[in-house]
Amino acid sequence: MPGSLEGQYIRLEVISGKNLKVPSQRIPAGIYVSINPQSSRRWKSTIGVLSSDESIAWRDAVTLSLDASPTLSVEIRASFELDRMLGNGEVVGKLDTSWDALLDHGDELFDISFPSVRGVHPSLTLRVTVLHNCDNQDSALLDISQDTDAGHERFSTYVSSKTVSHLNDAVKHFQLVLNQCPVGHPHRAAALTNLAWAHLQGYIRNDLQDIDSITSLFREALALRPQGHPDHPLSIYHLLKALIWRYCKENFTAVYIQECVQLSCKLLPLCPEGTYLRSIAAGANGIDYVIRECNELLADASDESIHLRRAILELCPLGHQARPKALMNLAQAVQDHFLQRGTIDDLAESIQHKREAISLCPEGHSEHDTYLYNLAVSLWYRFNHQDNSDDLNEAISLYEEVLHLRPVGHKYRNFPLGSLGLALNTRFDRRDPLASSARH
C-alpha cells in the first residue's frame, strides 16, 4: 500500500448486486455483504430482500481505516432469517482483493465479479472514496461505531457472566455513543435503544434501577422511528418489554399493563406470521402475558374497561387459547353496562359473545358449565326487558343443562337451582295468570 495512504480512511459504499443465486437453491430471506479487512472487525451490510430479477439495491456504506493490512475479503452471503440470524448464512460469492485494486477506480462506481454460481457470475457495484480529513463526521462515525461494538461486547459478556462490572462498562460505552448523537443525529434512535436495553437487563436482574429513565429512552427512540420506519415494530416491542417488567416489579399496577395492551395492538399487525419478531413478541413473555394479566383484571361497566376488553379480544383471534375468556370478560363488561344504562344493544352483544365462548368450550371443558350459566343469566335479563318467551325458554333449558353438569353435592349447584326455580315459576305464571292471581 502506498505510504501516503497509511493512517487514512476510506468510505466503501455497497451500491447494489445482481445475478445473486444461492448455491443450495434454498429461498433466502435476504442477502447481505460482508467486508473483512482482516486486521479489524468484520463489517456486514444491511440484509436486502432479493428482487424477482435476482438483484438487490443496498446503498449501504462503511468507513474503514487504511492500516497496514494490504488485503481484504469481500463476501456475498444469503441469510435465511431477516431478524436475528442463526450463524452467518450461506456463501454466495467470496473474493479476496487489495485496497490498491479498489482505489484504482477513483471515486467512480465499479463492478467486481465473483466465481460462477449455477451458470452466472454474481457481481457487486461499489464505490470507494478516500477521506482526507479524519477528524470530520466520518471519523466521528467510526468512533461511535467502535464504542458501540465495545458496548455490545461488554453487554454480551454481562449476559453470560452476570458480572455487574461488565454491565457498567457496557453502559459507559453506550452512554458515550449517545453523548455523540445529539437530537437530529441519524443514529440517535439506535444509541438510545442500546443504552436503554442494557439498563433494562440490569433492571430485570436487580443490578440497576431507574425504570423511569429506561422507559423514557425507549419512548424517545420510538418517537424517532414512526410508523413506516423499518425499526418501528422493534421499537414498540422494546417499550412493551420495559412496561411488562415495570408492571411485574411495581406491584402489578394496572396502568402499565393497560398501556401494554395499546402497544400490543399496534405491534401485532406489524409482525407477519412466521417471523422471529412475531414469535418473541406474541409469546408467553410478551403479548400472551399481557392477555393473561388483563384477563385476570376485574371487569366493570366503565367505557375504559369495555375499550380494554375489546382490545384484548382483538389480540385473541380464532384459535387463540385465551379467546374464550376474553369473550366472557367483554360480555360481562357490556352486560354490566346494560344493567347501569338499560341499553338493549349492550345485552345483545353480551349474549353474542357468550354464545361464541360456549362454542369454543364444548362439554368437557372446565368452564363449559360456567359459560352456560352466564348465558342463561343474560337471556333472563333480556326476557325481563323485552318479555320474549323464547329467551325465557332457552334460559330454562340452559339452567337445566347446568344442573345436569353440577350434580348433588357440587359446591355451585345452588346457583342454577335457584335460577331455574325462579324461571319456571315465571313461565307458569305466564301460562296460567289466574293461578298466579290466586296465589297473590
Side-chain angles (χ1 to χ4, degrees), residues 135-420:
D135 59 344
N136 61 12
Q137 183 177 355
D138 295 281
S139 178
L141 178 59
L142 184 64
D143 290 341
I144 65 173
S145 296
Q146 290 172 341
D147 270 320
T148 299
D149 289 346
H152 286 313
E153 183 180 356
R154 302 297 193 281
F155 179 70
S156 177
T157 304
Y158 163 71
V159 170
S160 58
S161 70
K162 301 181 181 179
T163 305
V164 179
S165 61
H166 294 308
L167 173 63
N168 293 335
D169 288 344
V171 168
K172 179 180 177 181
H173 282 289
F174 290 142
Q175 185 65 61
L176 285 172
V177 173
L178 182 58
N179 292 343
Q180 298 178 73
C181 296
V183 174
H185 193 285
H187 292 290
R188 183 169 177 81
L192 287 162
T193 302
N194 289 336
L195 180 60
W197 190 254
H199 271 285
L200 178 60
Q201 301 314 302
Y203 174 76
I204 292 170
R205 293 182 174 182
N206 296 316
D207 292 328
L208 294 175
Q209 300 301 319
D210 198 7
I211 187 63
D212 283 329
S213 295
I214 295 171
T215 54
S216 293
L217 291 169
F218 281 137
R219 288 187 197 281
E220 185 180 349
L222 178 58
L224 293 171
R225 294 168 169 174
Q227 188 169 356
H229 190 286
D231 291 317
H232 180 66
L234 197 54
S235 291
I236 295 177
Y237 171 73
H238 290 148
L239 179 56
L240 172 65
K241 196 70 175 176
L243 289 171
I244 287 175
W245 275 103
R246 184 169 198 171
Y247 169 77
C248 294
K249 284 175 165 280
E250 295 193 3
N251 300 317
F252 301 99
T253 305
V255 65
Y256 302 129
I257 204 69
Q258 289 166 357
E259 185 176 359
C260 287
V261 174
Q262 298 172 17
L263 291 170
S264 297
C265 288
K266 294 177 181 178
L267 176 59
L268 200 59
L270 301 176
C271 300
E273 288 283 356
T275 61
Y276 179 79
L277 182 57
R278 172 90 178 205
S279 67
I280 297 300
N285 297 318
I287 295 175
D288 277 356
Y289 175 83
V290 174
I291 293 169
R292 288 196 308 273
E293 290 300 308
C294 285
N295 273 341
E296 296 304 320
L297 295 176
L298 292 176
D300 60 57
S302 68
D303 291 340
E304 293 78 9
S305 177
I306 293 174
H307 178 76
L308 177 69
R309 298 300 169 187
R310 293 194 195 284
I312 291 296
L313 184 58
E314 181 184 334
L315 295 172
C316 300
L318 283 173
H320 195 288
Q321 60 181 1
R323 184 172 178 85
K325 191 163 188 177
L327 283 162
M328 292 303 294
N329 284 338
L330 175 57
Q332 187 62 48
V334 293
Q335 178 175 287
D336 291 345
H337 196 263
F338 160 77
L339 293 174
Q340 284 189 2
R341 305 187 184 182
T343 306
I344 193 61
D345 288 346
D346 288 335
L347 190 54
E349 181 185 351
S350 177
I351 291 171
Q352 176 187 347
H353 293 320
K354 289 179 179 181
R355 290 192 191 282
E356 182 183 346
I358 290 171
S359 72
L360 298 174
C361 301
E363 187 170 353
H365 190 280
S366 60
E367 299 293 336
H368 182 68
D369 60 328
T370 301
Y371 290 176
L372 288 174
Y373 180 75
N374 288 338
L375 175 58
V377 170
S378 296
L379 290 167
W380 171 254
Y381 285 146
R382 189 164 70 178
F383 162 72
N384 282 292
H385 194 81
Q386 294 185 325
D387 199 34
N388 186 328
S389 60
D390 289 341
D391 287 335
L392 177 60
N393 291 333
E394 185 178 0
I396 289 173
S397 296
L398 290 170
Y399 287 139
E400 290 174 339
E401 187 174 351
V402 175
L403 275 176
H404 174 73
L405 296 171
R406 295 179 180 178
V408 174
H410 192 288
K411 63 179 179 179
Y412 296 124
R413 180 177 169 83
N414 59 315
F415 292 105
L417 189 61
S419 299
L420 176 60

